[in-house]
Amino acid sequence: MRVHVDVTTVDVPEGATVLESVRAAGAELPALCHDDRVSPRGSCRTCLVGADGRVVAACTTPAVDGMRVSLADPVARGAARGALELVVSELPGRAWDVPAERSELVRACACFGIPTDRSARGGHQRGVDHSHPYVKLDRDLCIACGRCVAVCAEVQGTFALDLTGRGFDTVVTPGDGGSWVSSPCVGCGGCVDSCPTGALSEPGLLDPRPTTSTTTTTCGYCGVGCTLDVHVRDGEVAAVTPTRGAPVNRGHACVKGRFAHGFTRAEDRLTTPLVRRDGRLVPTTWDDAVRTVAHRLAAVRDRHGPDAIAMISSARATNEENYLAQKFVRTVIGTNNVDNCSRLCHAPSATGLSASFGLAGGTNPLDDLDHTDCVLLVGANPTDAHPVVGARIKQRVLAGARLVVVDPRRTELAALADVHLQAVPGSNVAVFNGLAHVLITEDHLDHDFLDRRTTGFDALAELVRDYPPDTTAEIAGVRAADLVAAARLFGQARHPAIVYGLGVTEHRHGTDGVRTLANLALLRGAVGTPGCCGILPLRGQNNVQGASDMGALPDLLPGYQPVTDAAVRDRFSAAWGRPVPERPGLRIPQMFDAAIAGEVRAIHVIGENVVQSDPNAEHVRAALRACDLVVCHDVFPSRTAEHADVVLPAASFLEKDGTFVNFDRRFQRVRPAVSPPGGAASDFAVLHRIAHALGADLGCPTPADALAECAALTPVFAGLSHQRLDAGGPLHWPCRAPDQPGEAVLHLDRFATPDGRAALAALPHLPPGEQPDGEFPYLLITGRRLEHHNTGSMTRRTPNAELLPAEALEIHPTDAAHLRVVDGADVTVTSRWGRAALTAHLTRDVVPGQVFAAFHFPGATVNDLTSPHTDTATGCPEYKVTAVQVRPGPP
Ligand SMILES: Nc1nc2c(c(=O)[nH]1)N[C@H]1C(S)=C(S)[C@@H](COP(=O)(O)OP(=O)(O)OC[C@H]3O[C@@H](n4cnc5c(=O)[nH]c(N)nc54)[C@H](O)[C@@H]3O)O[C@H]1N2
Ligand SMILES: Nc1nc2c(c(=O)[nH]1)N[C@H]1C(S)=C(S)[C@@H](COP(=O)(O)OP(=O)(O)OC[C@H]3O[C@@H](n4cnc5c(=O)[nH]c(N)nc54)[C@H](O)[C@@H]3O)O[C@H]1N2
Ligand SMILES: [Mo]
């Protein structure tokens, strides 16, 4: 429809407001209580305009075709000015110290020509709340516009804030009126971003000096891949804000991406290479460190052959670094012994989804969750681990979508679910077969889809006959009625979505879990069909998808091209000028076994803290001790660096150039906002130097060249380049040509399997590697917490450590009473593999007989407890099931 804004005519979509029409016309109109992302409230009256002869609040008034909007309408303008003058009269002079680019209030006053008085004292003396390390409240600057309250509710879904008081005394208040830090605030920063006055601010922006540059980049924590603006002052990161309108996060973020950037200037940042001399790591020059690595790698290769060297490449590093790492291992060393952290994480997703659908990625973009009417959330805790996705799911549920959660713990989303199947860890395959049983017996099937696009239905139907609700309920420890209810919600939904995490993959039968979960989408025709929501694995690290995509895998070259395929090898060998070895290499757990067996003599680790993150840590330490050479690139002196012979100081994601692939297969640009400190250097530069010292040239001198080379060799990435991403923004893979858009939704015409059909999998439930018994009666689940990321090397070096200073063992009050343990008491946890000292945290979020801990703190040694059992198909560790004993007191 057409709207006339003063002398300009604009076309706006049906349903647009007057304010949207004004903004479309490029005119400035203050609207102090308005944020595009939340429902309009029309309370501040600063956006009054004339519309077809009436005075209206532009933010709440729908535009109509042919409407004439007058910004200069004297009555409207006078009233708006009056409203603003009233607001201003209550404010202290420091309101005008907030720079105009951060204060809509300052800009609104300029727009109306309202004089500002820096010496004004304002009517209030309500003080500040600086209790939270990041979110800082100056109550006297609060104009009670309600935007923060709305963003907290309607974007983040935490409902931590309220407006309290009357009239001019109204002010934002967290939680039940206590301090901000003790409120339910999760530190997403949405309130700070929305605040029009600077009443809500953050440390880096309280500093009145302007920032000098802003760089748009991709977050380096989890796999959501939020686009962030990094604001720099004096060469240091001053603040990070989510980029408005960015495709994945739409201007939202979490307490890590938004605030946990202080690690870049941590005191103990590695800034110089270290070499072990006389048992001690001592600083050295880059020349010496690189020469040492090259000489000693060459010595191992000459004496024991190339397969005595293994590299773990980094899911934290860029695509271009991973591409170079696997090229280095394959061409300069001459082995396929290269793997990445996906092994510990979603390797079963890659293998399972490939077997079912033919491609190793999630099938649909995150945005498709916007139209789901039922989410089946399995073994994932996104409000902690993928908070921007968690918030999105929460909003869908608040808007009426049904939610089924399968998780042994009562997570935040489980507490909101229509049905929560609190299945015992390790029982997923039984649960999924049981759900399939109900879908089939009650005929919640897409018969046409099953006939045309799948194979294996009869075998599946036959197998799941053994999983009627009663039997399944017994295996999984849930109620049969809940199982049936869950199947009906999923089965009757028009747009069911499956979202899952490590609770599915990190098991002895993790790949079977992925396949039997994929069955459920296929039975409903909920994948590969128009309007479907598909199946979304919540991939973990910032670039764990990309590290695998780039071929940092022992059996696959870039784009999942098998190293055992001679034609593929020939293509890569020809381009690289050196033969690609034929025999698949070792997976991470096999690398450690081989080191202990004396077959692997050198381990080169880039950005993975294996001593803290791999299971059965004593085994890992023994493997590193057994090596002749351990090389470690890291940002910090990690537990792994302590075991290295050479430690190379790495640049972090805020300091380098390249791309990451997020969990829904989007290539996104990573750009340096600041320089690496001291001698720290990108893994890209370091790999080039080591290759050079070994007499080799890896080619592709810049990250852009590396992606170009990879694209030229990999059909599914053929259309990708830095130039294209810079010009047009993120792109999904497959992206097969420079003039083709990426494929956001997969399998629409055919599945990528050899016969074009999806393969249903008839797989029985098999027991996990460990079961509780008389000696180890509790079942330990491990996982994550909101405030810290994986081994915590970065987040523990930021004020996130104030928000969560230590790890604790979650234990049910009944078990605690039995053990005579009170909240906060020391406990010693022992497994068949090792021991950990923790404090008890009593909570009903775990069921009796199960305990939970995260692995973010090195002192908590949680991975000394976890077992060597791995997924039978992929070698992914069984992190989610460890039999332990718990005793009161320290060890
Ligand atoms: N804050 C934060 N965010 C992170 C990370 C972090 O360390 N901290 N790490 C990133 C990484 S690398 C990853 S891979 C992702 C992981 O993200 P998630 O997969 O969400 O993480 P987890 O907490 O490990 O496990 C998810 C859930 O699985 C449940 N679970 C355990 N066993 C079973 C089972 O047998 N069946 C079912 N159905 N559920 C089970 C657990 O109770 C837990 O709630 O998060 C990423 N994001
Ligand atoms: N008990 C238990 N253990 C687990 C899990 C679990 O659920 N339970 N989950 C597993 C999973 S899913 C994962 S993904 C792993 C994660 O395990 P890791 O990969 O070991 O953990 P991170 O802390 O993400 O990062 C590894 C290291 O990379 C460094 N780093 C960051 N950026 C860069 C960079 O750009 N270059 C270089 N060279 N270094 C960098 C960090 O400082 C850190 O020391 O943990 C696994 N371990
Ligand atoms: Mo992960």
Side-chain angles (χ1 to χ4, degrees), residues 250-262:
R250 299 180 184 161
H252 193 209
C254 82
V255 69
K256 295 178 296 301
R258 175 74 165 78
F259 291 116
H261 50 76

Side-chain angles (χ1 to χ4, degrees), residues 470-668:
D470 288 348
T471 312
T472 308
E474 190 154 322
I475 300 172
V478 298
R479 293 189 345 185
D482 289 343
L483 196 87
V484 174
R488 287 181 184 157
L489 285 176
F490 183 77
Q492 290 165 0
R494 293 172 50 137
H495 301 290
I498 297 179
V499 179
Y500 75 95
L502 299 178
V504 174
T505 57
E506 287 180 340
H507 285 286
R508 184 159 179 76
H509 303 288
T511 303
D512 291 358
V514 172
R515 296 218 57 198
T516 47
L517 181 60
N519 286 343
L520 303 179
L522 292 170
L523 290 173
R524 296 284 304 116
V527 56
T529 49
C532 75
C533 300
I535 174 160
L536 270 175
L538 293 175
R539 305 285 321 231
Q541 288 157 305
N542 52 316
N543 199 33
V544 67
Q545 177 75 46
S548 298
D549 294 348
M550 292 296 117
L553 292 170
D555 51 343
L556 298 167
L557 284 153
Y560 303 90
Q561 304 181 80
V563 75
T564 47
D565 181 329
V568 167
R569 268 200 322 277
D570 287 349
R571 190 151 35 83
F572 278 89
S573 301
W576 288 348
R578 297 212 187 194
V580 173
E582 181 178 339
R583 190 156 54 99
L586 300 173
R587 298 164 168 178
I588 292 173
Q590 296 170 326
M591 291 175 185
F592 298 133
D593 294 346
I596 287 173
E599 289 153 14
V600 159
R601 311 300 289 252
I603 296 187
H604 189 154
V605 190
I606 303 178
E608 187 168 324
N609 190 359
V610 291
V611 172
Q612 194 183 329
S613 59
D614 275 65
N616 194 7
E618 181 45 34
H619 183 71
V620 178
R621 290 188 289 262
L624 297 185
R625 283 195 298 266
C627 286
D628 300 338
L629 173 67
V630 175
V631 182
C632 173
H633 304 210
D634 208 299
V635 183
F636 289 107
S638 66
R639 282 283 151 108
T640 307
E642 289 167 16
H643 287 74
D645 301 292
V646 184
V647 178
L648 302 174
S652 76
F653 74 97
L654 289 164
E655 299 148 0
K656 60 190 177 186
D657 178 44
T659 55
F660 295 151
V661 187
N662 82 333
F663 80 107
D664 70 358
R665 291 178 284 106
R666 270 180 252 224
F667 272 78
Q668 309 200 90

Side-chain angles (χ1 to χ4, degrees), residues 315 341-342 344-346 386 502 505-506 538-542 544 784 789-790 855 879:
C341 201
S342 175
L344 312 184
C345 182
H346 274 279
H386 301 84
L502 299 178
T505 57
E506 287 180 340
L538 293 175
R539 305 285 321 231
Q541 288 157 305
N542 52 316
V544 67
R784 292 160 165 75
H789 196 256
N790 290 344
F855 65 107
Y879 287 118

Side-chain angles (χ1 to χ4, degrees), residues 698-771:
L698 286 170
C700 30
T702 68
D705 297 329
L707 186 62
E709 183 179 298
C710 177
L713 288 164
T714 313
V716 287
F717 307 143
L720 294 160
S721 65
H722 280 209
Q723 295 86 315
R724 202 174 158 196
L725 295 170
D726 282 334
L731 283 167
H732 286 91
W733 75 259
C735 179
R736 299 172 201 273
D739 59 353
Q740 279 180 19
E743 294 168 33
V745 183
L746 295 181
H747 316 303
L748 281 175
D749 301 320
R750 68 190 301 278
F751 287 92
T753 49
D755 64 1
R757 286 165 171 252
L760 290 155
L763 296 164
H765 161 73
L766 297 168
E770 294 225 332
Q771 307 272 16

Side-chain angles (χ1 to χ4, degrees), residues 89 109 130 147 157 185 242 274 303 443 522 603 740 863:
S89 69
C109 288
H130 283 191
R147 279 162 69 163
C185 169
L274 308 171
R303 208 167 318 139
D443 196 13
L522 292 170
I603 296 187
Q740 279 180 19
N863 275 323

